Amino acid sequence: MSALGLTAIVLLATYAASSTLFSALLALWLRRADRVPATADGLLLLRLLPAGLSLATTLTIALPAFVLGEPPGDGERAGALAVGLALLAIAMLAGAAARVLRAVVMTYRVLGRAGPGRPWQGTSHWPVHIVGTIGPGAATVGAWRPRILASECVVEACSDEEFAAVIAHETAHIRARDNVKRVLLLACPDVLAWTPSGERLVTAWRRAAEYAADDQAAGSSALRRVTLAAAIVKVARLTGSAPSGLPSTAMSAARDEVAGRVRRLLAPPAAERRDPAVSRARWLTCLVPLLAIPAHGAVHEALELLVAFGR
Amino acid sequence: MPPIDQDTPQPGTAAARRTRRREFGPLEARVIELLWLQGTPLTVRDAVAVLPGLAYTTVMTTLERLHRKGLLLRERRGRAFVYAPRWSRAELARRDVSNHVAGLLASEDTTAAVLSAFVQSVGNHDRALLDELEALVQAERVRLQGRDR
């Protein structure tokens, strides 16, 4: 086997092994933790942590340790364990690519069915299109060139102020780049993407992002908050009248989300608090390569064992 | 207009299945939007006159397709058919139409698409929850109005 091929297998195997380990540790911590991050940014970082740490481990520890310590032109053959782990890494990457591709296809499907619609005459920094072909609802569609779509029946059902609140909410999603973050979450190549823990994290992030967009749209004004709450209830009624194809678990989560958002908007706004998880995750990812520098020799030995296992 | 073929799809019938398979292409959307805006039944010729750039046969085929899908009523007047929407725009949005189109912005597609929906579908059986939430909203509105006086 060529040196390049062996290096590729080692790196893929290291990625798969570290991703599995970090994902398992995170899933375990989530089960036992008294408190998990409440902010959208904290939850996003938590979800990206296994993949981020695995990438850092692979590129800054495994790659230099293996390449620098490996004799040139060895012609070594990889064992079954290394090959198996490399295939797992390829499956993770392929899964991530498939999720992103499906998202792109579904997004174009929504935009295609929506058609051009008619432009909204109100004030908005981003294009708002009123369409009559997509059933009841409103949404921000697309990551790189987002546009806001709203169905005719939402315009008809809401007052001018309520519809303006809907648009303000969607604008907040664009400002926070929530659809870009959605793509990042889909593109996470790790085993957590295949587990209920990973799904729960994404659901929690989605809910936190909605809360954040509500806060941005309505601020601390009691009138704007109650107007947005009214719009949420009206649009929920409209969407509830059309079968969505969602499984019952998702509908249950959606029900909790609607109730949570409305009650939260009607309560006095809570003070914003910084999430320590965000800075902790950043430090952890930066520290990994630094802490391992003295251990490069031991890392190389471990990688040699990995390559030889099952040969 | 007394419709000739206004058979309201009953559950389990072929018409209901046709209704459920309903999808709007961009051209179909344009044509049905035109009918809603006009507010009166139109012949194919009337529709072509207000849809620039579309051939007669294209408009005729599209109207026929919408009629087959159960979205339009059709009546013969003399030698021509006149078409009218079966439901208003708001009624159509509320009816039990194809899972594939209705509620697209609040459907399973939102979990896969790059899309932030304003509200996910909560289902028809959660009317009690929505009534409760609406009552909370109204109570808060009354409280704020009282506070401002």
Side-chain angles (χ1 to χ4, degrees):
Chain A
M1 178 174 285
S2 70
L4 190 62
L6 184 64
T7 306
I9 288 177
V10 167
L11 293 182
L12 287 169
T14 306
Y15 183 86
S18 52
S19 168
T20 307
L21 174 66
F22 292 134
S23 297
L25 287 172
L26 178 61
L28 202 64
W29 180 76
L30 285 171
R31 274 196 197 167
R32 297 164 72 95
D34 295 327
R35 211 172 65 87
V36 292
T39 63
D41 282 349
L43 288 161
L44 176 70
L45 268 171
L46 205 60
R47 176 61 191 90
L48 297 179
L49 199 58
L53 283 175
S54 305
L55 202 60
T57 304
T58 303
L59 294 179
T60 63
I61 301 176
L63 178 60
F66 186 75
V67 168
L68 293 175
E70 189 68 8
D74 199 11
E76 217 178 333
R77 198 167 54 85
L81 178 62
V83 171
L85 286 171
L87 288 173
L88 177 60
I90 291 170
M92 285 188 229
L93 291 166
R99 286 190 297 273
V100 171
L101 184 63
R102 182 167 182 245
V104 170
V105 168
M106 298 305 286
T107 304
Y108 275 108
R109 177 198 277 191
V110 171
L111 290 172
R113 291 220 173 113
R118 62 177 175 88
W120 182 53
Q121 301 304 322
T123 307
S124 173
H125 288 112
W126 279 273
V128 179
H129 298 275
I130 313 299
V131 294
T133 53
I134 50 173
T140 301
V141 184
W144 318 120
R145 287 178 301 177
R147 68 196 81 169
I148 301 171
L149 301 183
S151 50
E152 289 282 3
C153 56
V154 168
V155 179
E156 285 169 21
C158 293
S159 67
D160 290 345
E161 293 79 16
E162 287 163 358
F163 190 72
V166 172
I167 300 305
H169 172 95
E170 295 305 322
T171 302
H173 276 308
I174 296 177
R175 287 208 171 103
R177 293 186 168 81
D178 282 340
N179 281 356
V180 176
K181 292 169 186 172
R182 203 173 282 266
V183 175
L184 273 178
L185 288 168
L186 288 170
C188 239
D190 56 26
V191 294
L192 205 59
W194 300 328
T195 66
S197 298
E199 260 182 59
R200 277 197 294 273
L201 263 180
V202 172
T203 301
W205 171 82
R206 196 179 294 133
R207 186 176 300 183
E210 293 300 331
Y211 288 170
D214 285 341
D215 289 342
Q216 280 297 309
S220 56
S221 158
L223 181 60
R224 284 206 299 270
R225 291 174 80 83
V226 76
T227 302
L228 181 57
I232 291 171
V233 174
K234 280 188 181 174
V235 177
R237 271 197 205 284
L238 289 173
T239 60
S241 63
S244 65
L246 281 173
S248 59
T249 48
M251 300 248 285
S252 170
R255 184 174 55 236
D256 292 344
E257 187 178 296
V258 166
R261 286 172 67 191
V262 170
R263 293 196 170 103
R264 200 170 161 277
L265 283 166
L266 298 181
E272 194 179 323
R273 51 194 174 115
R274 299 187 70 81
D275 203 333
V278 174
S279 55
R280 271 182 212 157
R282 282 197 194 121
W283 276 111
L284 193 60
T285 311
C286 293
L287 276 176
V288 160
L290 290 175
L291 289 173
I293 283 173
H296 271 178
V299 169
H300 182 81
E301 291 300 320
L303 290 174
E304 284 293 331
L305 284 172
L306 171 69
V307 168
F309 192 94
R311 193 154 51 193
Chain B
M1 177 182 92
I4 291 176
D5 46 359
Q6 189 196 17
D7 47 328
T8 305
Q10 296 300 313
T13 62
R17 285 193 292 276
R18 279 200 303 274
T19 303
R20 278 193 288 278
R21 282 197 302 273
R22 180 179 313 134
E23 289 187 14
F24 277 130
L27 188 52
E28 290 170 356
R30 243 178 108 186
V31 168
I32 200 166
E33 282 282 351
L34 166 71
L35 289 169
W36 280 325
L37 281 169
Q38 291 290 319
T40 55
L42 296 178
T43 61
V44 176
R45 198 169 298 280
D46 297 335
V48 170
V50 289
L51 287 170
L54 291 180
Y56 183 95
T57 49
T58 303
V59 175
M60 183 177 72
T61 307
T62 306
L63 284 166
E64 173 60 26
R65 202 159 50 229
L66 287 168
H67 167 67
R68 274 204 309 274
K69 288 180 177 178
L71 288 163
L72 298 185
L73 302 168
R74 186 172 71 178
E75 183 193 9
R76 187 179 282 280
R77 280 188 194 168
R79 291 170 58 186
F81 283 117
V82 288
Y83 295 86
R86 185 188 292 273
W87 300 291
S88 69
R89 189 186 289 119
E91 282 171 341
L92 185 63
R94 281 191 285 272
R95 287 187 69 85
D96 183 9
V97 292
S98 162
N99 284 349
H100 215 32
V101 175
L104 187 62
L105 292 187
S107 73
E108 190 177 1
D109 289 349
T110 62
T111 60
V114 184
L115 182 157
S116 301
F118 181 62
V119 169
Q120 298 274 2
S121 173
V122 298
N124 224 0
H125 58 278
D126 283 306
R127 212 166 287 170
L129 169 68
L130 295 176
D131 290 343
E132 179 197 334
L133 294 174
E134 187 172 352
L136 289 173
V137 168
Q138 287 309 320
E140 179 66 9
R141 271 185 162 150
V142 167
R143 189 188 74 81
L144 288 174
Q145 281 166 3
R147 189 188 69 177
D148 291 341
R149 283 205 186 99

